[in-house]
Amino acid sequence: MPDNAVTRRNVFQASATAAAALTAAGLPILTTATPALADTRHGRLRPEPLIPPRNRGIILYSVRDRITAAPDTSGVPYGFERVLARLAEIGYKEIEFAGYNQHTSILGRQITPREIRKILDDNGLVANGTHTQINPATFEQQLDIAQELGMRNIGTGSDPTNSAYRPDWDAAADTWNDLGRTARARGLRLYTHNHDAAYSFLLDAGPLDANGKPTRSSGLRRLEYFFDRTDPRYVFFEMDVFWAYVARFKHHTYTDRLGRQRTDVFDPILTVAPRTTRFPLFHAKDGNKNPTAGNGYDMVPLGEGDINFQQFFQTIGEQDFHHANWEQDTAPGGTTLPAQSLDFAALSYTNMSELTIYRRR
């Protein structure tokens, strides 16, 4: 693993609890100590980008207001052609899609996947994934679009099931194994993206309710159960780092089968690290801690919040394999601030590019 790293945003040390967990798992603890900088002056360490430039992406949901905007006189880019050109100018190399439509007044009709692919190619951009519906009835059609756009991954922004019960996750796993096998046969990886509820606890123990459903938990988390029920050759994951830390804030207690309150604090790093190559994609979404908010964090541009992305991406390893897509659900500024989402995209790219790893020469 890398020795150490220091950037201007690397100011948050792991808590004592997190440090103990990382140590027990044999994983490094990153601190804000500065010996690495001195070592570089003596030629013992060399700095490298923590997230390789070719793996820096954006999900277009963050700039959805500009993708779907009608032509206007604001001077702010709109539609696929202008917005993707601006994102390439900022420095992004990869695009994750969140729909394939723009305002019909731009072309007098809807744009086609083939036309979007040409825009990607013209700007040196690569499609690394999509949030679309994963439905057996339409899956082949979605694979066709993904291949037209040159994607390596196809996914969804929803959980495989919204249920809290094990049998429903078992059924979802069977479906996803089948669809993942189909995707692999066509050269793609199938992935699911989490919100915080995906890392809440299964109801799989204790007394049954009036409908015969369990009312308590064994302590298993929904998506972590799904990890083991799906075939690692066919089913992959995109961790939304923001929502993972929201899960840490919200989902830390459960009632066991005997009715006792139990505590189990979720750790996003320790969830990824043992199975890191099942996570080709991440949403690099930042937040400021706000314990009075329902989620415990308020979304902000990447690098402007309290989530330690330096520690996260360095500790999970496999830097060349992982692709980081910036996302901020709240980036659009509406009619009063039409340029805000693209401005946040530029700021977030700068902060992503400043994450640095130091390696032995």
Side-chain angles (χ1 to χ4, degrees), residues 47-206:
E48 297 178 1
L50 181 57
I51 300 172
R54 65 183 177 279
N55 291 1
R56 298 174 193 160
I58 176 175
I59 181 168
L60 295 183
Y61 185 72
S62 301
V63 293
R64 60 193 180 278
D65 59 323
R66 301 316 305 169
I67 291 289
T68 59
D72 58 47
T73 59
S74 68
V76 182
Y78 58 85
F80 280 108
E81 183 174 13
R82 292 167 179 81
V83 172
L84 292 185
R86 174 59 183 143
L87 295 175
E89 182 181 55
I90 289 169
Y92 288 103
K93 297 298 184 185
E94 297 195 326
I95 300 295
E96 185 180 22
F97 284 84
Y100 309 116
N101 292 337
Q102 64 180 14
H103 203 281
T104 54
S105 66
I106 297 173
L107 296 176
R109 57 173 172 79
Q110 193 49 257
I111 195 170
T112 67
R114 180 168 294 183
E115 289 169 329
I116 296 173
R117 174 62 183 271
K118 184 178 186 304
I119 295 169
L120 289 170
D121 293 345
D122 288 347
N123 288 282
L125 296 168
V126 174
N128 69 13
T130 184
H131 282 193
T132 189
Q133 291 187 343
I134 302 300
N135 183 322
T138 59
F139 193 55
E140 293 286 355
Q141 178 185 4
Q142 291 301 321
L143 288 173
D144 290 342
I145 296 172
Q147 287 190 313
E148 181 76 62
L149 292 171
M151 291 178 193
R152 181 67 182 86
N153 308 282
I154 182 171
T156 178
S158 303
D159 290 333
T161 173
N162 293 321
S163 173
Y165 304 108
R166 189 193 300 243
D168 296 320
W169 283 89
D170 288 338
D174 291 340
T175 298
W176 275 66
N177 281 331
D178 288 342
L179 294 178
R181 188 178 295 108
T182 299
R184 177 171 173 168
R186 294 183 59 170
L188 287 96
R189 288 181 295 229
L190 174 64
Y191 69 93
T192 184
H193 167 277
N194 68 276
H195 293 89
D196 68 279
Y199 290 112
S200 63
F201 297 97
L202 282 173
L203 295 177
D204 61 347

Side-chain angles (χ1 to χ4, degrees), residues 16 20 32 49 67 90 93 177-178 182 224 241 300 320 322 329 346:
T32 56
I67 291 289
I90 289 169
K93 297 298 184 185
N177 281 331
D178 288 342
T182 299
E224 291 185 330
V241 180
V300 295
D320 289 333
H322 295 136
D329 303 10

Side-chain angles (χ1 to χ4, degrees), residues 312-332:
F312 183 90
F313 282 112
Q314 184 167 335
T315 306
I316 64 173
E318 298 289 346
Q319 278 79 26
D320 289 333
F321 176 77
H322 295 136
H323 300 254
N325 292 323
W326 171 65
E327 183 182 38
Q328 184 180 339
D329 303 10
T330 58

